[in-house]
């Protein structure tokens, strides 16, 4: 790990940088058409509210969309790469956008609807997925063409943030993911085979190697079906999913993505962009233990161009996280689909890390199982990691998550009742507090960790154990010098903003 003292001076290091105009490549230099004159605000990841004006470069997949202003709400759910001008604030939560690029990661035919697959790539749809002019996913049919925006896992499955069914046939197909099984004539993106034909791979500075992230474009093929290779490839391009500009000094960044690697020190990568933690890095909706391959999160920090890393001040897990551990019977597992803990059904996803094969193969006997995951906006639980934790023990169960109801001495965590009458209580710093102080400090939505507790299988009530409040105490936001020229980000459009918020994740 790099020495932390390097980063203590980053705030001072963020000084004058070379003014970087928008690239002329792929029509990105075409400006917005000026509708509305004064511009409007765009909301990214709920808390980042930026102004678009007549000078903002607006593109979709690298091509200008002159109607975007008039149809701004239609951009909800798009994965977006953005650049904020010199009025960017300390936490990259406000400022004027120099440029935005709305990204469809996949454009092409569905080869399955249960499970949902575009090309031969698995797609996870949750209650957080925005459906554009589409009442429900179950109205889609095999062969329908769709546009999908979202974030790609290391196995090249996609967590969809937006799905659109175009009214006209697509004139170009597209898919994104990590290249594997590369040879002279073809390669894979997940299970999808892509034939190169005469195409030469572009922009691979480090070579077209195993695991590089690529975008593939192809001519639509009316004969394409499930398990078929893509044979009409027109372009393959290596894509930098991290900070894709090279400033002279540090700049503020906010990067959303799926973790594709974690080292022994807890530092990690998103799209090959290295992210390093500080001793004081703040975690929202989770903690350092939740950073694992497949985790979806947003990093707020400073890009250090000398080491080409992002130094993380704050890390926010973008879904409500949970961790359950209890005894699981074989009948609690629906092989390939779900697992049940505390009476709650937790769905498997294409991104689930099932390292002991519990969901994929089932259980032969009652076993202590740990499940980590997230809850979508409709209350459905999804597993991100499932692990065996030894022999069944109803006197040593774990329940971490948000409080959904509170009435001393009972709390509910994600709807699971907890009788705290015999519990020990800790504050956010791990200091002992009274039951009264605990209930005065918590409310609906407060994160708590419950360990070493008991479970009554008959009533499904958790009792006793150690209960700690898990809400972070946010530090003073870093202050940037006035000479900062721009900020960079990758996120998801969550709508139009009526107000400007500037308090980061809090």
């Amino acid at each position: 790990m790099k020495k932390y003292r390097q980063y203590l001076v980053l705030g001072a290091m963020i000084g004058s940088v070379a003014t970087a105009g928008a690239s002329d490549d792929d029509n990105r230099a075409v400006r917005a058409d000026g509708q509305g004159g004064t511009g409007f605000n765009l909301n990214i990841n709920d808390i980042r509210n930026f102004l678009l004006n007549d000078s903002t470069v607006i593109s979709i997949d690298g091509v200008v969309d002159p109607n975007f202003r008039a149809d701004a709400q239609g951009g909800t759910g798009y994965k977006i790469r953005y650049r904020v001008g010199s009025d960017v604030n300390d936490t990259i939560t406000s400022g004027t956008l120099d440029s935005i690029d709305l990204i469809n990661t996949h454009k092409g035919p569905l080869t399955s609807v249960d499970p949902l697959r575009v090309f031969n790539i698995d797609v996870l749809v949750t209650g957080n997925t925005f459906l554009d002019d589409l009442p429900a996913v179950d109205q889609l049919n095999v062969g329908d063409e769709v546009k999908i925006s979202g974030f790609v896992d290391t196995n090249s499955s996609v967590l969809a943030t937006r799905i659109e069914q175009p009214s006209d046939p697509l004139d170009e197909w597209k898919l994104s993911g990590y290249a594997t099984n590369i040879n002279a004539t073809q390669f894979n993106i997940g299970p999808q085979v892509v034939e190169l034909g005469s195409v030469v791979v572009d922009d691979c500075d480090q070579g077209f190697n195993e695991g590089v992230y690529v975008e593939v474009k192809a001519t639509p093929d009316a004969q394409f079906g499930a398990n078929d290779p893509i044979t009409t490839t027109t372009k393959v391009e290596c894509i930098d999913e991290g900070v894709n500009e090279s400033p002279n000094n540090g700049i503020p960044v906010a990067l959303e993505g799926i973790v594709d690697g974690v080292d022994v020190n807890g530092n990690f990568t998103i799209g090959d962009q290295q992210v390093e933690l500080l001793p004081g890095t703040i975690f929202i909706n989770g903690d350092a233990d939740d950073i694992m391959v497949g985790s979806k999160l947003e990093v707020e920090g400073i890009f250090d161009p000398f080491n080409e890393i992002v130094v993380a001040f704050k890390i926010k897990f973008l879904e409500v996280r949970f961790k359950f551990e209890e005894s699981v019977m074989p009948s609690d597992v629906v092989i390939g689909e779900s697992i049940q803990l505390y009476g709650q059904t937790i769905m498997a996803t294409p991104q689930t890390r099932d390292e002991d094969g519990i969901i994929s193969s089932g259980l032969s006997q009652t076993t202590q199982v740990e499940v980590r995951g997230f809850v979508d906006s409709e209350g459905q639980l999804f597993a991100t990691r499932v692990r065996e934790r030894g022999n069944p023990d109803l006197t040593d169960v774990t329940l971490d998550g948000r409080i959904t109801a509170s009435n001393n001495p009972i709390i509910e965590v994600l709807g699971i009742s907890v009788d705290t009458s015999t519990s020990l209580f800790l504050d956010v710093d791990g200091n002992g507090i009274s039951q009264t102080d605990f209930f005065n400090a918590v409310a609906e939505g407060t994160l708590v960790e419950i360990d070493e507790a008991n479970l009554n299988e008959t009533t499904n009530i958790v009792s006793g154990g150690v209960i700690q409040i898990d809400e972070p105490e946010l530090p003073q936001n870093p202050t940037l010098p006035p000479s900062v020229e721009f900020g960079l980000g990758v996120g998801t459009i969550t709508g139009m903003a009526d107000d400007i918020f500037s308090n980061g994740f809090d």
Side-chain angles (χ1 to χ4, degrees):
M1 183 188 298
K2 306 262 191 324
K3 293 182 179 178
Y4 286 126
R5 62 181 177 81
Q6 285 180 278
Y7 309 135
L8 300 179
V9 298
L10 273 176
M13 183 189 78
I14 306 170
S16 177
V17 298
T19 301
S23 168
D24 288 333
D25 295 340
D26 298 328
N27 295 319
R28 285 178 171 81
V30 182
R31 298 290 176 172
D33 63 2
Q35 295 180 35
T38 57
F40 61 86
N41 287 97
L42 193 67
N43 185 290
I44 299 174
N45 291 355
D46 294 321
I47 61 167
R48 306 189 185 281
N49 297 271
F50 300 112
L51 177 70
L52 286 82
N53 61 22
D54 297 344
S55 298
T56 304
V57 179
I58 303 174
S59 59
I60 298 180
D61 295 327
V63 178
V64 68
D65 180 4
N67 296 317
F68 178 74
R69 279 178 185 258
D71 191 29
Q73 189 62 41
T76 299
Y78 262 115
K79 176 183 177 180
I80 182 175
R81 182 176 289 277
Y82 57 96
R83 187 180 190 274
V84 192
S86 59
D87 60 346
V88 61
N89 72 336
D90 296 349
T91 55
I92 197 165
T93 50
S94 69
T96 304
L97 290 168
D98 287 342
S99 63
I100 59 173
D101 189 23
L102 291 76
I103 301 167
N104 288 295
T105 53
H106 298 74
K107 296 190 292 185
L110 295 176
T111 59
S112 170
V113 293
D114 187 18
L116 191 68
R117 291 191 178 112
V118 58
F119 301 105
N120 291 298
I121 303 296
D122 286 323
V123 180
L124 174 62
V125 178
T126 73
N128 302 330
T129 304
F130 180 80
L131 305 179
D132 183 50
D133 293 329
L134 183 66
V137 171
D138 61 13
Q139 295 190 12
L140 293 169
N141 300 300
V142 171
D144 287 349
E145 289 185 320
V146 293
K147 297 179 181 179
I148 296 176
S149 189
F151 293 85
V152 176
D153 192 11
T154 51
N155 62 11
S156 290
S157 62
V158 58
L159 174 57
T161 55
R162 173 188 171 94
I163 298 179
E164 175 184 350
Q165 186 175 23
S167 55
D168 298 319
L170 294 172
D171 56 12
E172 182 178 68
W173 286 352
K174 176 184 177 183
L175 69 156
S176 309
Y178 295 91
T180 59
N181 301 325
I182 299 170
N183 61 40
T185 62
Q186 65 182 38
F187 64 96
N188 278 49
I189 292 181
Q192 178 62 62
V193 176
V194 179
E195 294 187 1
L196 283 167
S198 60
V199 171
V200 177
V201 181
D202 292 336
D203 297 331
C204 289
D205 296 338
Q206 305 301 317
F208 185 43
N209 301 315
E210 290 282 314
V212 68
Y213 189 86
V214 296
E215 286 184 354
V216 175
K217 295 180 180 178
T219 302
D221 177 4
Q223 304 304 313
F224 182 85
N227 303 316
D228 286 347
I230 293 175
T231 61
T232 57
T233 308
T234 58
K235 186 174 184 179
V236 179
E237 180 181 10
C238 292
I239 300 296
D240 184 353
E241 283 286 271
V243 176
N244 62 352
E245 294 193 37
S246 300
N248 292 333
N249 270 299
I251 57 170
V253 296
L255 297 178
E256 177 184 357
I258 294 178
V259 174
D260 54 24
V262 184
D263 70 16
V264 294
N265 297 309
N267 302 315
F268 59 95
T269 56
I270 295 178
D272 289 334
Q273 174 62 65
Q274 185 179 357
V275 179
E276 293 204 357
L277 306 178
L278 293 169
T281 298
I282 294 298
F283 294 89
I284 312 296
N285 291 339
D287 55 37
D289 289 340
D290 292 313
I291 299 176
M292 62 189 73
V293 173
S295 298
K296 184 168 180 276
L297 48 79
E298 184 188 45
V299 177
E300 184 179 292
I302 298 294
F303 178 65
D304 171 3
F306 305 111
N307 296 295
E308 297 185 343
I309 60 172
V310 172
V311 182
F313 295 143
K314 299 177 187 175
I315 293 174
K316 181 179 182 181
F317 295 87
L318 293 174
E319 302 99 351
V320 176
R321 312 288 298 180
F322 70 85
K323 182 175 77 172
F324 295 169
E325 181 184 321
E326 67 132 325
S327 300
V328 175
M329 298 183 293
S331 59
D332 292 326
V333 180
V334 178
I335 293 176
E337 293 186 12
S338 65
I339 186 170
Q340 193 171 91
L341 281 80
Y342 299 111
Q344 304 285 319
T345 298
I346 306 167
M347 301 301 296
T349 79
Q351 291 82 33
T352 300
R353 263 56 188 179
D354 183 21
E355 50 210 68
D356 296 316
I358 293 172
I359 294 182
S360 62
S361 302
L363 291 170
S364 60
Q365 59 186 6
T366 300
T367 305
Q368 196 86 347
V369 175
E370 176 192 293
V371 178
R372 294 175 182 252
F374 67 91
V375 187
D376 74 5
S377 60
E378 296 179 349
Q380 177 61 60
L381 279 62
F382 295 89
T384 55
R385 190 178 191 185
V386 181
R387 292 192 291 175
E388 181 181 334
R389 306 306 281 172
N391 295 324
D393 187 352
L394 294 175
T395 66
D396 187 14
V397 302
T398 296
L399 178 60
D400 298 355
R402 288 197 181 279
I403 292 177
T404 49
S406 175
N407 185 17
N408 191 355
I410 304 298
I411 60 173
E412 290 185 2
V413 177
L414 296 175
I416 301 163
S417 293
V418 181
D419 182 351
T420 70
S421 300
T422 59
S423 300
L424 299 176
F425 302 93
L426 304 177
D427 64 15
V428 292
D429 297 317
N431 300 315
I433 56 175
S434 69
Q435 184 174 2
T436 299
D437 287 343
F438 172 82
F439 276 90
N440 287 336
V442 302
E444 185 174 334
T446 302
L447 282 167
V448 293
E449 295 182 359
I450 304 172
D451 295 308
E452 302 174 13
N454 302 297
L455 174 64
N456 185 317
E457 280 193 305
T458 302
T459 62
N460 203 37
I461 294 176
V462 176
S463 62
V466 179
I467 306 178
Q468 180 169 3
I469 301 171
D470 195 29
E471 292 292 337
E473 294 181 347
L474 298 182
Q476 185 72 27
N477 288 323
T479 300
L480 302 178
S483 57
V484 169
E485 293 285 345
F486 62 90
L488 295 174
V490 175
T492 304
I493 295 178
T494 45
M496 296 187 65
D498 296 321
D499 301 297
I500 297 295
F501 302 96
S502 57
N503 294 321
F505 291 134
D506 48 354

